[in-house]
Amino acid sequence: MIPVKSEYKQTKLYFDEPTHKYTDNCGNSYISATTIIHSYVPKFDSNYWAKYKAKEENTSIKDIKNQWDKIRDKACDMGNVYHNSFEEGIRQNSKFFNAIKYLNKQESKQMVTVADLDVVDSHTKLLDVDAFIDHTENKGSHAPESSSLKYPEIYKVFKFYTERDYKIYSEIGAFLPKYLVSGTIDILPIREDGFVILDWKTNRTGLRFQAGYYKKDKSVRPVQETDEWVHKPEDVLLPPFGGLPNCNGTTYSLQLNLYAKMVHLITGLPCKGLALCHIEVPFILNQYGRPQRFKDGFHIDESKTETAKWYKISRLEPEIDTMLNIRYQTVNGSQKQQMNLFV
């Protein structure tokens, strides 16, 4: 059985999808892991850059912002498609849907969290990887041949952990009432002696663990990215994390490390590793091998299929401890607690 510390058992976490807000049964409001991490990312001056891009491309600021909105919305939709497919496949093929009935959830907005695993885990089976493959590939009642699989790298990792008796949970909540911080873990392989935090992303630019940008070819319209990388070592996160580069690899690494801290504090189990899978969408490429920008954004090359690549994520425990200590100074004394009449 997965251990859960008693101080987390009375707290029930709720998530409101339209507002993306987390609360608990004591009336506390939580900051999400993503929000607290991005509070240390230098703010993007959209008005300045829209004006700059409009001049660069001889168009209006409104058109530039509309382009950005379309690209953002399309990326979100694409990410949701992948997340929802994988999540449903894991939940169905580990019998997770059947297991959560033992929680006697009172409201549909109540999340299944890591603090519920002492109840849920005994009713959850190991992931049926073949059934998961079939669900994800959409190819009928039997898993297709390995040579034709879309995501062999994902299946390989799931099989690795399942063969070692890790049960795999998807989209499971985690929270720290002391700090009023919460979040939703994409993939949590866990067993009685430890756990792993996995995540997946689908962003167009790929994963970068160095601050910088690709130089632009301004001789064409729309302006295109070249394959020449410009490193910006001075571009870092806000204090006290000025030693970390301002790039998506850093923010994702902090996110996974914060999730690991949550699971460790709730269960007492050690984290055995962190990894992030980037699902690379096959965009139509320009002459430099970068995604080609069209007037209406970026287009997918329908003749190709997406690929998955795993990245091992470094541990950032001192940074997470610092982040939580700062958060505690902000919320200390404001946390509402469940009254216990039997002490």
Side-chain angles (χ1 to χ4, degrees):
M1 184 175 75
I2 302 299
V4 173
K5 295 182 180 179
S6 59
E7 58 262 38
Y8 294 94
K9 288 305 299 176
Q10 290 188 341
T11 302
K12 304 302 177 186
L13 189 67
Y14 301 93
F15 179 67
D16 183 62
E17 182 72 39
T19 60
H20 205 80
K21 298 292 185 183
Y22 294 89
T23 57
D24 67 17
N25 55 322
C26 297
N28 292 302
S29 294
Y30 288 67
I31 190 172
S32 71
T34 302
T35 300
I36 191 172
I37 289 167
H38 277 85
S39 69
Y40 295 100
V41 176
K43 187 176 180 181
F44 176 72
D45 190 338
S46 60
N47 290 328
Y48 171 85
W49 286 109
K51 184 177 180 180
Y52 179 90
K53 291 293 183 183
K55 182 178 180 180
E56 182 180 75
E57 300 190 14
N58 194 27
T59 186
S60 69
I61 294 175
K62 182 178 179 180
D63 284 344
I64 292 295
K65 289 189 173 183
N66 285 338
Q67 287 179 30
W68 289 348
D69 288 342
K70 288 179 182 178
I71 292 170
R72 179 203 62 212
D73 293 343
K74 188 171 184 178
C76 287
D77 290 343
M78 191 183 312
N80 288 336
V81 168
Y82 292 118
H83 275 77
N84 293 342
S85 176
F86 291 139
E87 176 192 353
E88 185 181 357
I90 290 172
R91 288 179 173 237
Q92 286 188 0
N93 296 297
S94 63
K95 307 301 181 186
F96 188 41
F97 283 127
N98 292 334
I100 60 177
K101 70 182 180 182
Y102 293 94
L103 293 178
N104 189 28
K105 296 199 303 180
Q106 299 299 313
E107 300 180 35
S108 60
K109 292 181 181 180
Q110 182 181 329
M111 296 188 72
V112 179
T113 72
V114 175
D116 297 314
L117 288 183
D118 59 337
V119 176
V120 173
D121 195 66
S122 61
H123 302 285
T124 302
K125 298 178 183 287
L126 292 172
L127 178 67
D128 183 335
V129 178
D130 284 339
F132 173 77
I133 292 173
D134 179 61
H135 174 93
T136 307
E137 299 285 333
N138 252 340
K139 292 190 176 180
S141 58
H142 300 287
E145 296 297 325
S146 59
S147 60
S148 63
L149 295 178
K150 291 170 64 176
Y151 309 109
E153 295 304 316
I154 292 177
Y155 308 143
K156 181 179 178 180
V157 169
F158 282 7
K159 185 175 181 180
F160 174 89
Y161 285 111
T162 300
E163 288 177 342
R164 287 157 180 79
D165 292 327
Y166 283 85
K167 292 180 181 177
I168 299 178
Y169 294 91
S170 176
E171 294 287 307
I172 188 166
F175 60 96
L176 297 177
K178 177 179 178 180
Y179 307 98
L180 297 182
V181 175
S182 62
T184 303
I185 302 170
D186 273 358
I187 305 293
L188 175 65
I190 189 169
R191 63 185 186 187
E192 294 181 359
D193 66 342
F195 65 90
V196 179
I197 301 292
L198 305 178
D199 203 339
W200 32 48
K201 304 296 181 183
T202 56
N203 52 313
R204 172 185 57 82
T205 58
L207 292 189
R208 299 175 182 171
F209 294 90
Q210 185 183 81
Y213 60 93
Y214 284 101
K215 193 173 181 180
K216 307 296 190 297
D217 180 353
K218 300 179 182 180
S219 67
V220 295
R221 293 290 181 272
V223 172
Q224 299 293 326
E225 282 187 345
T226 71
D227 56 358
E228 183 179 346
W229 176 254
V230 179
H231 181 208
K232 293 187 65 179
E234 72 280 6
D235 188 6
V236 295
L237 297 189
L238 299 176
F241 305 114
L244 297 176
N246 179 21
C247 56
N248 61 12
T250 296
T251 55
Y252 296 154
S253 295
L254 287 168
Q255 182 182 11
L256 268 64
N257 274 273
L258 181 51
Y259 290 153
K261 186 72 172 183
M262 292 181 185
V263 178
H264 170 67
L265 290 177
I266 294 170
T267 65
L269 297 175
C271 177
K272 293 179 177 290
L274 312 170
L276 196 154
C277 179
H278 183 249
I279 300 174
E280 300 178 355
V281 178
F283 290 102
I284 294 175
L285 303 180
N286 62 23
Q287 60 180 319
Y288 303 101
R290 299 294 301 158
Q292 182 170 345
R293 186 176 181 182
F294 296 87
K295 288 184 178 180
D296 60 345
F298 300 89
H299 298 174
I300 294 175
D301 187 341
E302 302 292 348
S303 67
K304 300 178 181 178
T305 59
E306 59 271 16
T307 57
K309 181 178 180 180
W310 286 97
Y311 295 81
K312 184 177 180 180
I313 299 300
S314 300
R315 301 303 300 273
L316 297 171
E317 294 176 80
E319 289 83 355
I320 295 302
D321 287 342
T322 298
M323 188 180 296
L324 289 177
N325 286 335
I326 294 172
R327 174 64 177 169
Y328 182 69
Q329 294 172 19
T330 302
V331 303
N332 185 28
S334 67
Q335 306 98 322
K336 303 171 187 176
Q337 297 181 345
Q338 187 89 348
M339 182 178 292
N340 190 344
L341 301 178
F342 303 99
V343 294

